[in-house]
Amino acid sequence: MEIVALPAGDGPDRALVRSDGGHRKPSTRTAQRLERAQQAAFAALGAVSSYLDADEELPAFFGRLSETVAGLVGARRAAFWRLGARDVLSLQPKAFGFPPASPIHQLRIELGSTQQSVIEGVIFRDELNLQQGTSPQLDALWREVGLLGIKNSIAVSWRAGDRRIGAVVAYDSRRGFTSNDLWVMRLVAMATGLVWQYKEAEDELGTTAVRLEEAVAARRRLMNNIASGGDEARRRFASSLHDDSLQLLTAAELQLERMRAEANGSHQAVQFDQLKGTLHKVEDSLRRLLTNMSTETLELNVDLHQAISERLESVRVQSGIETQIDLRLPQEIPPAIQQILVKNVAEALTNVEKHAHATRVLLAAEPVDGGIKVEIIDDGTGFVVAESVHMPGHLGLLAMKERAQLAGGWFRIESEPGSGAKVEFWVPQSL
């Protein structure tokens, strides 16, 4: 029979026996070595993957894994070395087999030092050559850095893809290290690199989630501050309008009535009546403005569906515009979101009343993508959207956009002169 030896490569040593029939089958001794190597590999991968299911910190994980590596390759000691930002190798906590007083815990090995060629070649380029169960170059490195008493050692590169994380090192094997031991350690290093990437990604995701939550909280505070500031400004304006302007206007009407009575029968009576009618129109306009600006009208004493329906009905009654409504609102909507919906709907309908010259208006609302989408469509004269922010009386459109965006939503306008307009916005169902 012909003995055919295969190179070790990245797997365990193997020797195959060619039988007379031309088939190859492993010898009993080789099969046993192969089986032991496979068992060691499964144990190594199991030890690494167990971290994903275990609730333990990284130092404890590396301590446990170092002990597992030592057991798998027959070493008395094992350690993970981490490559720092300045190309300095330092020991990961909980190295196995080294007492607390060992100088290895204080070692810092710089890649720019005289040991660079050994570290780069033996470890990071996987050029380690075994001679009598050890790596003479690696053993010399440990003696040079002050780690005495090391009988033999092997090391493999610890990577995450193309990124160098550090090295996995085993020390002091009673029987001497073999190429199978190197193969097992490479599997450990590869799997640990994947776990390291997973842990970093998990930490980054956690950090991002925290920052996102902080941003959401900041947005909530900003929105509440703006809403509070706007409500306070409206409250002061409404108070000033009611206590000052409307009172003066009422006094002027009373004075005008006395003057008309004194001018009874003269040609000035007609002019007084016309002036009185003008003052009534001004007063009605100011009172409507007072109603719209009052923060009390924004405190919903009825459900959201009814509040929107009543606002649309007021458009029909006061302006004669034909209305159509299609509301499909969720049952549970936070008060802050209800406020945004009512304010934006009221603003949009006010624009239709004042500027659109429309005969019909449609208002629709429905749940979309975890929020509420609202559309207000009219058949009025339309306008150039790009010029809308500069048009008198259209600042409400900008307020609607800012209100929706501050809540984490969006706002859009579609319109052309002579083609009506569509205003739509979306806000999340919860802040």
Side-chain angles (χ1 to χ4, degrees), residues 229-271:
D231 289 345
E232 180 61 25
R234 283 192 295 272
R235 187 176 292 106
R236 291 181 180 179
F237 179 82
S239 177
S240 177
L241 185 63
H242 180 271
D243 297 340
D244 189 7
S245 301
L246 284 174
Q247 295 295 336
L248 291 173
L249 188 59
T250 300
E253 289 177 341
L254 293 174
Q255 186 176 4
L256 180 64
E257 186 65 28
R258 288 194 298 269
M259 294 173 62
R260 185 187 182 287
E262 293 174 359
N264 188 25
S266 69
H267 68 281
Q268 293 179 339
V270 175
Q271 295 177 333

Side-chain angles (χ1 to χ4, degrees), residues 292-312:
N292 290 335
M293 291 298 296
S294 175
T295 57
E296 283 72 17
T297 62
L298 300 176
E299 299 295 332
L300 297 180
N301 297 318
V302 295
D303 65 40
L304 181 61
H305 191 290
Q306 184 177 347
I308 293 177
S309 299
E310 289 180 354
R311 180 65 183 91
L312 194 63

Side-chain angles (χ1 to χ4, degrees), residues 81 89-90 104 107-124 128 134-156 167-169 171:
W81 291 80
L89 279 172
S90 58
I104 195 173
L107 282 183
R108 301 293 184 270
I109 305 174
E110 298 182 12
L111 263 62
S113 64
T114 57
Q115 297 88 14
Q116 179 172 359
S117 61
V118 176
I119 296 172
E120 287 286 350
V122 172
I123 297 178
F124 292 119
L128 185 146
T134 189
S135 169
Q137 288 180 294
L138 200 58
D139 294 344
L141 169 65
W142 303 125
R143 289 193 296 270
E144 186 176 343
V145 297
L147 190 60
L148 305 178
I150 298 297
K151 296 179 180 179
N152 49 37
S153 61
I154 56 174
V156 296
V168 185
V169 186
Y171 307 86

Side-chain angles (χ1 to χ4, degrees), residues 341 344-345 372-374 376 404 410-411 423-427:
L341 293 172
N344 273 13
V345 165
I372 301 168
K373 178 183 175 183
V374 179
I376 299 97
W410 50 262
F411 174 86
V423 172
E424 58 180 346
F425 64 93
W426 177 92
V427 291

Side-chain angles (χ1 to χ4, degrees), residues 308 312 324-329 341 344-346 348-349 352 361-368 372-378 400 410-414 421-427:
I308 293 177
L312 194 63
Q324 183 179 351
I325 189 169
D326 181 16
L327 295 183
R328 286 170 282 172
L329 297 170
L341 293 172
N344 273 13
V345 165
L349 292 177
V352 172
V361 61
L362 164 67
L363 192 154
E366 61 178 338
V368 174
I372 301 168
K373 178 183 175 183
V374 179
E375 291 182 343
I376 299 97
I377 305 173
D378 68 72
M400 292 171 65
W410 50 262
F411 174 86
R412 286 197 293 260
I413 308 172
E414 295 179 12
K422 179 170 77 169
V423 172
E424 58 180 346
F425 64 93
W426 177 92
V427 291

Side-chain angles (χ1 to χ4, degrees), residues 62-71 75-80 91-105 147-150 169-172 174:
F62 280 111
R64 183 167 55 84
L65 188 56
S66 297
E67 183 177 2
T68 300
V69 169
R76 293 177 55 206
R77 306 168 184 174
F80 282 79
L91 200 68
Q92 283 288 112
K94 305 290 186 180
F96 175 71
F98 292 95
S102 173
I104 195 173
H105 299 292
L147 190 60
L148 305 178
I150 298 297
V169 186
Y171 307 86
D172 296 340
R174 294 182 179 88

